[in-house]
Amino acid sequence: MPHSYDTPPAVLDHPLEVGPDDWQGPAFYQLMTALVVPRPIGWISTISASGVPNIAPYSYFNLMGSDPPYVAFGSTGVKDSLTNLREVPQFVANIVTMDLLERMNFTSGDFPRDEDEFTWAGLTQVAAEKVRPFRVGEAKAHLECEVMHIVTDRNTNIVLGRIIHAHVDPSVWKNGRVDPRLLDPVCRLSGSGYAALGDLVNVQRPQWKNIEGTIGLEAMPRAERR
Ligand SMILES: Cc1cc2nc3c(=O)[nH]c(=O)nc-3n(C[C@H](O)[C@H](O)[C@H](O)COP(=O)(O)O)c2cc1C
């Protein structure tokens, strides 16, 4: 039975084995958000039934499927975004690029529900194509979504949204696709830590027709720096 620790130790002198209820306070949250990195950020815009726009960043966020295309984001507790989605079940996942890092962070403030974070952060409200919530005009890409399910387990609320429309600015497009360097997305680490894209590499997907008849790792596709 591996020995564990009652609190996060300053120095780990043997491997850590820990469950979500073993530590007090935010320590397990800090551990898991330091392990699952980098995370993309969904800058989620919603609107209340009475028409007050809302925008907030969520890094419990990712694509969940492609046929049909889905995104999911997770709200810890019932925040304004979730309350709005229960009234108007649509959202825009605005893509956060490095030039918008500070403004994205500003919109995570605990603004009262009737305060419009777009205005506070100097962001332009642009009408979306297929949903009621606004796009962030300054964002280079947007995914417009319809809420299909909200899964609730205690304080965790997972919003499953079907993507019904995408919008991309020409400035991030090169050779027939979105260029990651031009997009320059923000990568979330833990706490107040963020990163930009580092080295870019390509590695081909394995195919049995290339593997059959070879030995060991001979046919393993190799990574190439771009
Ligand atoms: C980069 C970043 C990522 C965040 N990710 C999440 C998240 O995944 N889930 C969550 O509940 N809160 C997250 N937060 C905190 C929310 O953005 C914050 O609670 C915000 O006030 C919620 O806004 P709302 O009440 O308008 O929905 C994040 C904050 C930042 C700065």
Side-chain angles (χ1 to χ4, degrees):
M1 186 67 182
H3 183 270
S4 198
Y5 299 84
D6 295 337
T7 55
V11 176
L12 200 59
D13 53 21
H14 52 263
L16 178 64
E17 304 286 347
V18 65
D21 301 321
D22 292 345
W23 286 342
Q24 303 286 311
F28 193 85
Y29 158 81
Q30 286 162 351
L31 173 69
M32 68 177 196
T33 53
L35 288 173
V36 183
V37 287
R39 292 186 303 288
I41 299 169
W43 203 6
I44 305 295
S45 47
T46 57
I47 196 162
S48 72
S50 63
V52 181
N54 187 278
I55 179 146
Y58 288 82
S59 71
Y60 296 154
F61 168 77
N62 221 314
L63 290 177
M64 285 296 133
S66 45
D67 183 25
Y70 264 79
V71 293
F73 75 91
S75 173
T76 304
V78 178
K79 300 184 173 178
D80 295 344
S81 308
L82 197 71
T83 305
N84 285 350
L85 287 177
R86 288 189 169 134
E87 294 179 1
V88 179
Q90 299 179 326
F91 63 94
V92 179
N94 301 271
I95 303 301
V96 185
T97 48
M98 286 302 281
D99 56 324
L100 294 171
L101 170 61
E102 288 162 340
R103 288 204 265 179
M104 172 282 293
N105 183 53
F106 192 45
T107 64
S108 77
D110 55 348
F111 296 95
R113 186 158 180 236
D114 56 355
E115 290 292 334
D116 167 8
E117 291 100 349
F118 277 88
T119 307
W120 280 102
L123 298 167
T124 314
Q125 293 171 3
V126 174
E129 195 68 25
K130 300 259 174 69
V131 297
R132 275 185 61 195
F134 294 106
R135 293 175 177 169
V136 172
E138 289 73 12
K140 310 250 173 34
H142 312 87
L143 300 172
E144 299 181 10
C145 305
E146 266 175 0
V147 176
M148 304 306 286
H149 294 288
I150 299 176
V151 179
T152 297
D153 183 357
R154 226 157 64 201
N155 219 12
T156 292
N157 301 283
I158 303 168
V159 177
L160 294 169
R162 191 194 277 212
I163 303 171
I164 56 169
H165 188 79
H167 168 260
V168 179
D169 189 82
S171 64
V172 300
W173 196 263
K174 194 176 166 188
N175 298 334
R177 53 175 48 201
V178 174
D179 183 288
R181 283 275 176 236
L182 295 175
L183 186 66
D184 199 19
V186 172
C187 308
R188 174 109 199 259
L189 305 176
S190 62
S192 56
Y194 297 88
L197 290 180
D199 288 347
L200 300 181
V201 296
N202 282 358
V203 60
Q204 300 304 317
R205 290 275 286 271
Q207 287 189 312
W208 180 242
K209 67 175 165 53
N210 301 329
I211 299 168
E212 199 177 10
T214 64
I215 300 164
L217 297 179
E218 207 180 320
M220 183 174 72
R222 304 294 153 146
E224 286 167 19
R225 271 172 199 269
R226 287 210 216 166

